[in-house]
């Protein structure tokens, strides 16, 4: 694309997302940055260079979406594995069929890997067992991830290779599920148990990762995403390979998305000792926060709650890191000017994380660390006030409302607590800004759908869950633009359409601020531009003319 040419987009509805609410219908850019935005009279062709003018035909333009918590590298690796999700399987028999196809293409003895199994939605409503997997793959070790990535399923050859028997003691930070006779069922819970098998699987190579990451980026661009926080690089290994794959793609000019790398402590700690700090890197690839986990997921009964689960009055879920240890880790990075992002779903886990942040701020009273709570699903008003006071950013997984809201109400949390999961409006009422995310591959990545869910709070069964927590379209859009840029210390470079900022933007089929709320999810992304370069385009072509992205709407 003529990147060195001035380009003007005119005759559009420009949602700049900037503080000044000046009506804008046009903007210009040169090379990779915006140069002007405003009414048409303010955006004039430059006299000393060629200018390409694009007529938007009234279409809306806004800053590119920044998806601030997902696992794109895991999504990419999944392309090398068997899809055991609801996408292609209704029953366990279907899953077996999917695996049989994979086995037929695999040498005996080689690993069969899969992902996406969800026992709560599959017709059989039960976990996979080693016997299911032995039936289809007696001669291959099998490892299948649960949709939450907090559980996995393995077969007898895999258990044998890992040396797991009925006499194996329960590992720290995980559980080997057993039947009445104490025999492992094949279900392994949380990293402590999953790693017993995971650690013996040969990791994917950098070249394998580089073969699938570009397809993953294309997928993201098609939903208007120009930047991501890759949310836990190294969770379940491959940390070094992923870092290297991203670096090589950048060097080869094949990285078309801005990646802020959130890294597990094991790897972050090593980088740290090598002298790297957060925000190290380039405008395309940057080392971001250190990622920790303080509980699991509520729909897996591993979220740590203050009050028992609705359907299990004896069960609260567990904290993963003892408080003193968490205080220590958080303080270490806080004192060294690093951002910390901690996974917490249950209100007891959120409380523990806030205690750790408060401790760190007390020991080392510095501000502007922008620590984040990832998911932050059941935050109370009191906790929201603490976040506001400590400068913590809640990053809400709002898709929970759609995908698990009905079951949260009926099974896991009960009607009262379910109604206020992802308390977006409560946060705004207390002056606390938030980010939103998809947690791909846990739910599909589609910012417009997540924005729709934040605005409507519609569940998959068609109920409105907690209507008082609905927010305006503008606030939901901010979560995916300005707020997400701020969460990556990038608010001077991205998140709004303003002169001097990087030209990351999207063209939409309709204006989200003016369509009826129930139609937000149907808005289509027509073009995605990263640093002035069109990386995705679905502009209809006039027959017989060459396709030039971005020249006609
Ligand atoms: Zn995640």
């Amino acid at each position: 694309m003529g990147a060195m040419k001035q380009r003007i987009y005119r005759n559009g509805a420009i949602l700049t997302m900037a503080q000044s609410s000046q009506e804008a219908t046009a903007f210009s850019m040169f090379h990779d940055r915006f140069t002007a935005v405003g009414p048409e009279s303010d955006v004039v062709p430059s006299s000393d260079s060629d200018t390409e003018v694009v007529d938007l035909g009234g279409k809306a333009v806004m800053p590119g979406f920044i998806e601030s918590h997902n696992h794109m590298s895991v999504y990419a690796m999944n392309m090398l594995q068997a899809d055991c999700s609801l996408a292609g399987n209704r029953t366990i028999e279907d899953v077996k069929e999917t695996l049989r196809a994979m086995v037929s293409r695999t040498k005996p003895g080689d690993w069969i890997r899969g992902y996406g199994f969800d026992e709560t939605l599959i017709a059989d409503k039960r976990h996979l067992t080693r016997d299911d997997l032995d039936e289809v793959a007696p001669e291959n070790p099998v490892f299948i991830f649960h949709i939450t990535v907090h559980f996995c399923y393995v077969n007898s050859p895999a258990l044998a290779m890992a040396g797991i028997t009925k006499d194996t003691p329960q590992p720290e930070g995980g559980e080997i599920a057993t039947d009445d006779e104490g025999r492992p069922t094949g279900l392994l819970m949380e990293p402590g148990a999953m790693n017993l098998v995971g650690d013996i699987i040969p990791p994917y190579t950098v070249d394998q990762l580089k073969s699938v990451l570009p397809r993953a980026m294309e997928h993201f661009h098609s939903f208007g995403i120009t930047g991501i926080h890759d949310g836990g690089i190294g969770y379940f290994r491959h940390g070094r390979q992923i870092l290297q794959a991203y670096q090589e793609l950048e060097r080869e000019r094949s990285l078309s998305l801005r990646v802020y790398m959130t890294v597990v402590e094991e790897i972050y700690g090593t980088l740290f000792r090598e002298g790297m700090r957060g925000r190290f890197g380039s405008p395309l690839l940057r080392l971001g926060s250190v990622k920790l986990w303080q509980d699991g997921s509520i729909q897996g009964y591993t979220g740590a709650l203050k009050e028992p689960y609705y359907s299990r009055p004896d069960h609260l879920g567990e904290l993963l890191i003892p408080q003193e240890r968490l205080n220590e880790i958080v303080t270490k990075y806080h004192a060294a000017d690093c951002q910390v992002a901690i996974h917490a779903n249950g209100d007891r886990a959120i409380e523990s994380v806030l205690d750790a942040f408060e401790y760190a701020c007390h020991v080392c009273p510095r501000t502007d660390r922008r620590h984040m709570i990832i998911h932050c699903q059941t935050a109370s008003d009191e906790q929201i006030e603490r976040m506001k006071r400590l400068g913590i950013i809640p990053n809400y997984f709002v898709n929970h409302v759609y995908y698990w809201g009905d079951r949260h109400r009926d099974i896991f949390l009960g009607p009262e607590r379910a109604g206020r999961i992802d308390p977006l409006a409560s946060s705004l009422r207390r002056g606390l800004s938030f980010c939103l995310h998809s947690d791909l591959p846990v739910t599909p990545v589609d910012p417009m759908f997540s924005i729709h869910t934040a605005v409507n709070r519609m569940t998959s069964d068609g109920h409105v869950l907690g209507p008082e927590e609905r927010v305006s379209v503008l606030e939901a859009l901010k979560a995916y633009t300005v707020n997400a840029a701020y969460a990556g210390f990038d608010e001077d470079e991205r998140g709004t359409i303003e002169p001097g900022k990087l030209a990351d933007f999207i063209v939409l089929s309709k204006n989200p601020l003016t369509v009826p709320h129930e139609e937000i999810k149907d808005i289509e992304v027509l073009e995605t531009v990263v640093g002035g370069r069109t990386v995705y385009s679905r502009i209809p072509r006039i027959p017989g003319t060459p396709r030039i992205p971005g020249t006609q709407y």
Side-chain angles (χ1 to χ4, degrees), residues 294-295 298 303-307 319 323 342-358 371-396 413 417 420-424 426-434 469:
Q294 188 53 336
D295 71 349
I298 288 172
L305 298 174
K306 286 185 173 180
E307 301 295 327
L319 297 178
Q323 191 66 47
I342 311 184
H343 168 122
N345 270 308
D347 50 1
R348 193 153 50 88
I350 294 167
E351 191 84 17
S352 160
V353 168
L354 286 169
D355 287 349
F357 285 142
E358 183 139 36
H371 300 312
M372 257 192 281
I373 302 184
I374 305 297
H375 306 329
C376 205
Q377 195 176 170
T378 55
S380 66
D381 286 344
E382 209 190 331
Q383 290 170 339
I384 288 169
E385 269 158 27
R386 284 184 80 189
M387 281 185 248
K388 173 72 185 165
R389 186 154 43 81
L390 294 167
I392 308 300
I393 304 168
N395 195 341
Y396 292 115
L413 293 172
R417 282 182 296 181
R420 63 157 291 150
I421 60 166
D422 306 308
L424 307 188
S426 294
S427 299
L428 292 177
R429 277 194 287 273
R430 282 160 187 79
L432 182 65
S433 299
F434 53 80
E469 293 298 344

Side-chain angles (χ1 to χ4, degrees), residues 227-523:
I228 63 163
H229 294 200
D230 193 331
I233 294 175
Y235 179 75
F236 220 72
R237 306 187 310 154
H238 294 101
R240 283 285 180 175
Q241 289 90 334
I242 293 166
L243 293 184
Q244 195 183 331
Y246 275 140
Q247 281 170 323
E248 290 187 13
L249 287 173
E250 187 191 23
R251 216 175 301 137
E252 293 157 14
R253 298 181 171 276
S254 301
L255 194 65
S256 55
L257 187 73
R258 302 188 196 281
V259 180
Y260 188 76
M261 299 183 289
T262 297
V263 179
V264 299
E265 211 220 334
E266 197 187 317
I267 292 168
Y268 197 98
T270 315
L271 298 173
F272 188 76
R273 283 189 291 281
E274 288 167 6
M276 267 181 245
R277 294 290 186 275
R279 283 102 77 190
F280 179 90
S282 70
L284 266 178
L285 184 62
R286 192 163 291 182
L287 178 64
S289 42
V290 55
K291 175 78 186 286
L292 304 167
W293 281 260
Q294 188 53 336
D295 71 349
S297 76
I298 288 172
Q299 58 271 21
Y301 291 107
T302 49
L305 298 174
K306 286 185 173 180
E307 301 295 327
Y309 281 81
Y310 189 58
S311 56
R312 285 178 63 182
D314 58 334
H315 187 72
L316 289 168
E318 298 289 333
L319 297 178
L320 296 179
I321 308 174
Q323 191 66 47
E324 272 179 31
R325 175 89 188 105
L326 185 64
N327 292 355
E328 221 174 87
I329 303 171
V330 169
T331 304
K332 171 178 146 186
Y333 291 109
H334 174 87
D337 192 22
C338 299
Q339 184 184 31
V340 184
I342 311 184
H343 168 122
N345 270 308
D347 50 1
R348 193 153 50 88
I350 294 167
E351 191 84 17
S352 160
V353 168
L354 286 169
D355 287 349
F357 285 142
E358 183 139 36
Y359 177 87
C361 291
H362 179 75
V363 173
C364 180
R366 294 185 188 166
T367 54
D368 207 27
R369 287 294 182 276
R370 309 189 192 182
H371 300 312
M372 257 192 281
I373 302 184
I374 305 297
H375 306 329
C376 205
Q377 195 176 170
T378 55
S380 66
D381 286 344
E382 209 190 331
Q383 290 170 339
I384 288 169
E385 269 158 27
R386 284 184 80 189
M387 281 185 248
K388 173 72 185 165
R389 186 154 43 81
L390 294 167
I392 308 300
I393 304 168
N395 195 341
Y396 292 115
F397 184 5
V398 76
N399 288 6
H400 269 132
V401 172
Y402 178 82
Y403 288 98
W404 289 280
D406 296 306
R407 282 171 288 151
H408 274 351
R409 185 195 55 225
D410 301 337
I411 304 168
F412 306 115
L413 293 172
E416 200 184 309
R417 282 182 296 181
R420 63 157 291 150
I421 60 166
D422 306 308
L424 307 188
S426 294
S427 299
L428 292 177
R429 277 194 287 273
R430 282 160 187 79
L432 182 65
S433 299
F434 53 80
C435 299
L436 296 174
H437 67 264
S438 69
D439 207 22
L440 179 86
V442 180
T443 70
V445 69
D446 180 355
M448 205 54 93
F449 178 81
S450 300
I451 288 161
H452 177 94
T453 302
V455 170
N456 295 292
R457 288 185 73 94
M458 190 70 83
T459 68
S460 55
D461 285 358
H463 300 287
V464 176
L465 187 72
E468 56 289 344
E469 293 298 344
R470 289 179 295 199
V471 293
S472 70
V473 181
L474 186 65
E475 290 297 343
L477 294 175
K478 277 187 192 169
Y480 264 105
T481 53
V482 275
N483 297 355
Y486 178 83
F489 295 86
D490 231 2
E491 69 274 19
D492 293 335
E493 289 285 88
R494 301 193 278 155
T496 63
I497 297 178
E498 289 178 284
K501 285 199 177 179
L502 289 163
D504 294 358
F505 64 93
I506 52 179
V507 183
L508 301 171
S509 63
K510 288 189 175 151
N511 184 344
L513 293 176
T514 57
V515 297
H517 284 177
E518 59 279 11
E519 291 173 21
I520 295 169
K521 63 175 173 16
D522 305 321
I523 297 172

